[in-house]
């Protein structure tokens, strides 16, 4: 068999090396239009920022090493310009010369390209950059070395935008982020993203939300925003997302999916039985709910590459979908997400419950403990886990990884309470963050407590519900939610006579635990009561200007 693979980075090279391990006799050709194959594109922002000091560290393999070890015919600077499905061949341009290569099976791993909106003056902006591959990173590094760059503007506050903001700021630049949405990190829900925004601002990043760049003036030295603001910049990074690199597939008449992605079945096979596709260019099923999605991430691309090689070697495999598990570093914080966000659950009309906790990353009595903010989304009937998000200094990665595994295994919140996770004081708590949010969610599921969300409480208080802050007098004096009265938890039983039973109650504390205890006391004394999910800590992070 003769396999031709278009694209030699994550998915393409995973497919090629796996094919060789399974079939020593196959002819395997990898065609890569760029100068490098198998490079660590997720490390590019850290190369620009100087964290990764040597370019060679980004180059996982070279064409020569791949031939030596795997006998792969890897051809760089070789761009496929056309697919001839009828003749089962591809047309390749190499250094201006065109030639043909036949195939028995063709694998498309063409990736995604940075989005370039039709903004007025964009073609005349001479220090506007995008970041996709090693040459892009090298161009930015060279520009920083050869020009006086004091101020950088990043258009887009997604994962790459945040990573680049941190690395350029660490490089000594003043950095501004312009984001069209009203929050940074749009994959997260707003009350989680606001914590990351505060971290960016703490480190001197200017964050302009709800604003769109409408033009470039003076050869890109001035950005014009939709509200009339004009922002001077010495370097601009365009980081507003990516689009599937599907032009070859489209020209060949292959079926396309959403956002012009390449449509594949669960065997990663396109509408042509001899052509397969993997990676950022394809349409996948989002694991929670099975809806079509385009999820450009390195981990799924690598898994798809391995799987397509297994399938082509006769193994029974099927791709079950992509969760979208992601994590980003923002200075001293990490932010991670898996499954569906609350925004997406609302968009897809999927019923859910949301719950927030603020557990320590390890035993709080052991030095160095740091609190994280954790959010769980689950089905209100079955308790099945639908999504999770976490923001914190430590422990975010392993917590989200456990919850991603739980979603993959179709586990419920009750299952989370039964997970036995590694514990010793330096590493975890006896009740791990995943266990704790499982307990809290199970209480909600079982009807032991009812919750109110951070974005609902103000309206309910205006409508006449009584808000009781059960923290200590000192905590209450340091700041509380407007309209709250203070009855500390330890005094609550003795002061029940002060609370009218004719009013619906909301209780709040710092993070939700004492509020839950208060809600149980009040409910068993005949009161109609709800607990403010996430407590004062979550509410005040979203509305710092209105707490007293």
């Amino acid at each position: 068999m003769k396999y031709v693979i278009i694209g030699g980075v994550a998915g393409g090279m995973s497919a090629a090396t796996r094919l060789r391990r399974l079939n020593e006799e196959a002819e395997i050709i990898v065609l890569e239009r760029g100068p490098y194959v198998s490079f660590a594109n997720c490390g590019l922002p850290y190369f620009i920022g100087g964290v990764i000091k040597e370019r060679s560290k980004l180059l996982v393999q070279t064409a020569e090493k791949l031939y030596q070890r795997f006998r792969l015919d890897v051809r760089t600077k070789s761009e496929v310009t056309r697919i001839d499905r009828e003749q089962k061949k591809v047309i390749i341009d190499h250094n201006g010369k065109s030639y043909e290569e036949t195939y028995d099976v063709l694998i498309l791993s063409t990736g995604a390209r940075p989005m370039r909106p039709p903004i007025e003056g964009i073609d005349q902006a001479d220090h506007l950059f995008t970041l996709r591959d090693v040459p892009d990173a090298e161009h930015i590094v060279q520009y920083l070395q050869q020009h006086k760059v004091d101020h950088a503007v990043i258009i887009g506050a997604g994962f790459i935008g945040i990573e680049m903001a941190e690395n350029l700021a660490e490089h000594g630049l003043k950095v501004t982020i312009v984001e069209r949405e009203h929050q940074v990190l749009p994959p997260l829900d707003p009350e989680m993203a606001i914590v990351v925004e505060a971290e960016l601002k703490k480190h001197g990043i200017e964050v302009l939300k709800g604003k769109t760049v409408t033009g470039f003036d003076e050869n890109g030295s001035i950005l014009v925003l939709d509200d009339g603001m004009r922002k001077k910049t010495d370097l601009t990074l365009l980081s507003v997302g990516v689009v599937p690199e599907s032009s070859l597939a489209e020209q060949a008449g292959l079926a396309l999916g959403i956002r012009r992605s390449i449509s594949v079945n669960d065997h990663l096979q396109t509408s042509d039985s001899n052509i397969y596709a993997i990676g950022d260019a394809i349409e996948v099923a989002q694991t929670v709910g099975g809806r079509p999605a385009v999820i450009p991430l390195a981990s799924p691309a690598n898994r798809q590459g391995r799987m397509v090689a297994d399938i082509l070697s006769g193994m029974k495999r099927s791709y079950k979908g992509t969760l979208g598990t992601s994590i980003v570093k923002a200075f001293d914080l990490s932010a991670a997400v898996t499954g569906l966000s609350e925004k997406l659950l609302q968009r897809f009309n999927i019923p859910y419950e949301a719950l927030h906790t603020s557990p320590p990353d390890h035993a709080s009595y052991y030095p160095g403990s740091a609190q994280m903010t954790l959010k769980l989304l689950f089905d209100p009937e079955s308790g099945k886990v639908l999504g999770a998000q976490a923001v914190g200094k430590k422990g975010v990665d392993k917590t989200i990884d456990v919850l991603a595994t739980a979603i993959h295994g179709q586990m419920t919140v009750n299952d989370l309470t039964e997970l036995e996770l590694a514990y010793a004081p330096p590493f975890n708590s006896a009740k791990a963050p995943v266990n704790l949010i499982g307990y809290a969610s199970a209480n909600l599921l079982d009807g032991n407590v009812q919750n109110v969300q951070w974005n609902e409480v103000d309206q309910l208080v205006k409508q006449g519900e009584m808000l009781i802050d059960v923290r200590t007098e000192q905590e209450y004096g340091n700041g509380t939610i407007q309209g709250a009265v203070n009855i500390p938890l330890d005094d609550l039983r003795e002061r029940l006579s002060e609370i009218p039973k004719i009013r619906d109650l909301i209780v709040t504390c710092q993070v939700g635990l004492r509020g839950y205890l208060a809600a149980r006391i009040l409910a068993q004394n005949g009161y109609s009561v709800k607990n403010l999910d996430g407590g004062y800590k979550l509410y005040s992070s979203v509305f710092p200007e209105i707490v007293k």
Side-chain angles (χ1 to χ4, degrees):
M1 289 289 287
K2 180 178 181 181
Y3 300 100
V4 173
I5 301 171
I6 304 176
V9 191
M13 202 52 69
S14 292
T17 52
R18 178 67 170 170
L19 277 169
R20 174 58 74 224
R21 291 194 294 273
L22 296 175
N23 190 338
E24 183 66 18
E25 302 303 319
E27 182 180 1
I28 304 170
I29 300 172
V30 180
L31 302 169
E32 169 56 47
R33 69 180 177 185
Y36 306 106
V37 292
S38 197
F39 61 85
N41 52 0
C42 295
L44 296 176
Y46 302 99
F47 172 65
I48 293 168
V51 178
I52 299 171
K53 299 189 181 302
E54 299 174 19
R55 185 190 63 180
S56 60
K57 298 292 186 183
L58 298 172
L59 305 178
V60 181
Q61 288 284 2
T62 64
E64 294 74 22
K65 289 180 179 178
L66 288 163
Y67 177 78
Q68 184 177 14
R69 178 160 295 180
F70 296 102
R71 290 300 186 265
L72 300 177
D73 183 356
V74 178
R75 307 176 191 176
T76 57
K77 299 181 181 178
S78 298
E79 181 174 8
V80 176
T81 57
R82 187 165 65 87
I83 300 169
D84 186 334
R85 291 168 54 193
E86 186 174 337
Q87 299 294 320
K88 293 180 68 175
K89 65 182 181 182
V90 293
I91 315 302
I92 305 157
D93 181 84
H94 177 68
N95 293 333
K97 295 182 179 180
S98 182
Y99 69 98
E100 299 176 352
E101 195 69 63
T102 60
Y103 63 83
D104 294 315
V105 173
L106 180 66
I107 301 174
L108 304 179
S109 183
T110 47
R113 67 180 186 276
M115 201 179 295
R116 192 177 171 91
I119 302 171
E120 184 178 350
I122 192 170
D123 294 330
Q124 287 73 49
D126 58 10
H127 46 256
L128 174 68
F129 299 89
T130 55
L131 184 61
R132 179 185 186 184
D133 51 29
V134 176
D136 288 343
E138 290 176 322
H139 291 154
I140 295 172
V141 170
Q142 289 168 6
Y143 191 86
L144 289 169
Q145 292 171 343
Q146 297 170 6
H147 297 80
K148 188 178 186 304
V149 180
D150 296 319
H151 188 193
V153 175
I154 297 171
I155 306 174
F159 289 93
I160 300 298
I162 297 297
E163 289 174 343
M164 282 299 299
E166 175 187 353
N167 278 280
L168 290 175
E170 297 283 20
H171 204 73
L173 276 64
K174 176 176 171 53
V175 178
T176 298
I177 297 175
V178 180
E179 169 56 49
R180 180 180 61 183
E181 301 293 329
H182 291 276
Q183 65 170 83
V184 301
L185 290 177
L188 271 66
D189 289 317
E191 79 278 17
M192 303 297 286
I194 198 76
V195 183
V196 179
E197 181 184 338
E199 180 74 3
L200 295 171
K201 290 178 176 178
K202 186 176 83 173
H203 286 83
I205 307 293
E206 181 183 30
V207 180
L208 303 177
K209 302 178 296 182
K211 298 182 185 296
T212 303
V213 176
T214 57
F216 294 88
D217 278 357
E218 299 181 21
N219 295 322
S221 295
I222 301 292
L223 271 63
V224 182
L225 307 187
D226 55 353
D227 61 356
M229 180 186 292
R230 294 171 65 84
K231 200 76 185 173
K232 188 180 184 305
T233 176
D234 303 312
L235 181 152
T236 304
L237 180 77
L238 192 61
S239 182
V240 294
V242 296
V243 293
E245 190 71 271
S246 58
S247 56
L248 274 176
E250 184 174 13
Q251 291 167 11
L254 298 177
L256 299 183
I258 62 170
R259 295 177 53 196
R260 308 193 77 79
S261 57
I262 303 171
S263 181
V264 296
N265 60 22
D266 62 356
H267 292 107
L268 301 167
Q269 191 175 42
T270 70
S271 54
D272 185 317
S273 61
N274 297 306
I275 303 178
Y276 292 73
I278 55 177
D280 295 354
I282 70 170
E283 176 185 279
V284 297
Q286 207 289 334
T287 305
V288 181
R291 286 169 173 77
V294 178
I295 304 177
L297 293 170
S299 177
N302 278 288
R303 290 188 290 110
Q304 293 157 13
R306 179 185 173 94
M307 182 174 288
V308 78
D310 288 352
I311 291 167
L312 290 169
S313 300
M315 299 181 186
K316 291 184 178 180
R317 302 279 190 271
S318 60
Y319 192 71
K320 297 179 176 64
T322 301
L323 264 178
T325 307
S326 311
I327 189 168
V328 65
K329 177 181 178 294
F331 296 100
D332 297 327
L333 286 184
S334 300
V337 60
T338 188
L340 292 181
S341 65
E342 186 170 4
K343 292 181 293 186
L344 288 177
L345 289 166
Q346 291 173 350
R347 184 187 304 174
F348 298 149
N349 294 314
I350 298 175
Y352 69 92
E353 287 281 4
L355 193 132
H356 302 77
T357 58
S358 296
D361 72 294
H362 63 254
S364 56
Y365 59 81
Y366 186 87
S369 174
Q371 207 172 46
M372 73 176 79
T373 301
L374 184 57
K375 178 176 185 177
L376 192 72
L377 298 150
F378 59 94
D379 184 277
E381 297 296 327
S382 67
K384 182 178 173 181
V385 181
L386 304 174
Q389 297 167 40
V391 179
K393 290 186 176 182
K394 296 189 292 184
V396 165
D397 50 352
K398 70 176 181 180
T399 300
I400 282 294
D401 284 345
V402 172
L403 292 169
T405 305
I407 298 173
H408 183 81
Q410 300 189 37
M411 295 170 68
T412 68
V413 296
N414 284 309
D415 292 323
L416 299 183
T417 70
E418 298 176 12
L419 289 178
E420 185 176 334
L421 303 173
Y423 162 64
F427 306 105
N428 211 338
S429 298
K431 295 177 182 177
V434 170
N435 297 137
L436 287 173
I437 204 162
Y439 295 139
S441 300
N443 280 329
L444 199 60
L445 187 69
D446 295 338
N448 292 328
V449 68
Q450 296 181 60
N451 277 0
V452 169
Q453 288 300 321
W454 57 273
N455 55 354
E456 300 171 329
V457 61
D458 289 335
Q459 186 60 34
L460 291 173
V461 171
K462 286 180 182 177
Q463 292 171 359
E465 298 196 16
M466 182 177 181
L467 179 62
I468 303 174
D469 188 330
V470 299
R471 296 177 300 159
T472 64
E473 290 184 9
Q474 182 177 351
E475 288 176 293
Y476 177 80
N478 290 336
T480 190
I481 300 170
Q482 289 186 5
V485 297
N486 181 222
I487 303 178
L489 174 63
D490 293 340
D491 300 339
L492 185 60
R493 290 181 178 89
E494 287 71 31
R495 296 176 61 180
L496 290 176
S497 60
E498 300 175 27
I499 306 171
K501 287 191 174 181
I502 59 172
R503 294 181 67 181
D504 290 336
L505 307 179
I506 301 170
V507 288
T508 182
C509 64
Q510 186 65 17
V511 297
L513 175 58
R514 283 176 288 176
Y516 164 69
L517 298 175
R520 291 300 301 152
I521 293 169
L522 290 164
Q524 292 177 85
N525 278 277
Y527 290 90
S528 173
V529 58
K530 298 183 180 71
N531 184 27
L532 177 60
D533 183 37
Y536 177 77
K537 177 176 179 285
L538 181 66
Y539 180 92
S540 61
S541 69
V542 182
F543 304 118
E545 72 284 356
I546 62 173
V547 293
K548 69 174 186 178

